[in-house]
Amino acid sequence: MGRGKVQLKRIENSMNRQVTFSKRRNGLLKKAFELSVLCDAEVALVILSPSGKTYQFSSNDFDTTISKYRSMGGLPDLNEIDARSVESLRNEVENLKKFAVSTEARLKQMCGEELASVGAREVKQLERHMRTGLQRIRVQKRRLLTDHIRMLKKKHKDLQDENAFLQQRMKEACKALEKRQVNKPPGIFLQDLNEVY
């Protein structure tokens, strides 16, 4: 009988998490060693624990394996990464600034401000967008009001039903009291009403 399928999610209990890390780390290191021996492969493995400890395995010299990997284009030089990432971040920031400025100008135009630089065609397009947006808002408002009215009607009907039920009980209680009040003085009516309930 095999083990059940393990659900892959973070283990909440820190003790269990540490034990699982230790066992799986050892298994991974063992598999890396077996791969290097059985297949005559050059294997380098680095494991960083949550506590900050480093575990590594290399079938040859670790630095030599990493250098070979870099020369094959697998891992770019750190200076090259920094220069490329800084340049791409600058481009992204510039694009986001332009997008923010154009979006802000569009928003102002939709509010009816700064229309001097807008042509007749763009004004018509803005008007069409505004009409469409207003129509959507009206449809949503109508739907919300209809839902609210439906809820209030249901609540009104429930209250009417409850009122009718209470009136029926009151009539029954009064009839029961009338039967009991035949020989009693009139001052005991409220006390008898409480006894009926």
Side-chain angles (χ1 to χ4, degrees):
M1 187 167 139
R3 282 180 31 183
K5 191 171 184 179
V6 177
Q7 189 178 11
L8 287 180
K9 67 175 188 174
R10 184 177 184 269
I11 300 170
E12 295 303 321
N13 185 325
S14 61
M15 186 68 76
N16 291 347
R17 189 170 54 243
Q18 183 59 38
V19 169
T20 302
F21 173 78
S22 179
K23 287 181 181 178
R24 296 219 173 191
R25 178 199 65 219
N26 292 338
L28 187 59
L29 291 170
K30 182 179 175 187
K31 290 290 180 187
F33 172 73
E34 290 172 358
L35 182 65
S36 68
V37 171
L38 292 173
C39 302
D40 195 29
E42 191 171 335
V43 178
L45 173 68
V46 177
I47 302 171
L48 302 173
S49 76
S51 62
K53 291 183 182 175
T54 305
Y55 303 92
Q56 66 184 32
F57 167 79
S58 181
S59 56
N60 292 342
D61 180 47
F62 194 81
D63 292 331
T64 306
T65 305
I66 295 297
S67 297
K68 281 184 186 178
Y69 182 67
R70 268 201 185 123
S71 67
M72 293 177 170
L75 191 66
D77 189 22
L78 291 178
N79 294 332
E80 191 179 316
I81 290 174
D82 288 342
R84 264 193 276 155
S85 63
V86 166
E87 188 59 35
S88 67
L89 286 175
R90 278 190 189 136
N91 289 338
E92 189 175 348
V93 165
E94 286 302 315
N95 290 337
L96 287 173
K97 280 182 183 177
K98 288 175 186 174
F99 179 73
V101 167
S102 67
T103 304
E104 190 175 326
R106 182 104 173 123
L107 184 62
K108 284 182 179 179
Q109 290 169 357
M110 287 185 147
C111 291
E113 300 172 8
E114 298 182 13
L115 294 175
S117 63
V118 180
R121 178 182 291 168
E122 290 153 336
V123 169
K124 285 183 181 180
Q125 188 179 10
L126 275 172
E127 187 178 8
R128 197 172 339 119
H129 285 306
M130 296 287 278
R131 235 185 262 122
T132 305
L134 187 60
Q135 190 175 12
R136 287 183 190 146
I137 290 169
R138 284 182 178 150
V139 167
Q140 177 72 3
K141 180 181 173 185
R142 200 174 301 125
R143 189 183 64 76
L144 288 172
L145 286 174
T146 305
D147 291 347
H148 189 67
I149 289 169
R150 190 178 303 124
M151 183 197 64
L152 288 174
K153 282 182 178 178
K154 183 185 180 311
K155 196 180 271 188
H156 183 258
K157 185 183 180 318
D158 291 345
L159 288 173
Q160 280 182 329
D161 292 345
E162 187 178 350
N163 189 22
F165 173 74
L166 290 174
Q167 282 181 351
Q168 184 62 33
R169 279 194 62 190
M170 187 70 174
K171 285 177 185 178
E172 291 170 3
C174 286
K175 285 179 184 178
L177 278 177
E178 285 176 6
K179 289 179 184 177
R180 294 175 78 193
Q181 288 293 330
V182 174
N183 295 329
K184 288 190 176 181
I188 310 175
F189 179 75
L190 288 176
Q191 182 181 350
D192 290 341
L193 185 60
N194 288 335
E195 288 175 12
V196 171
Y197 280 105

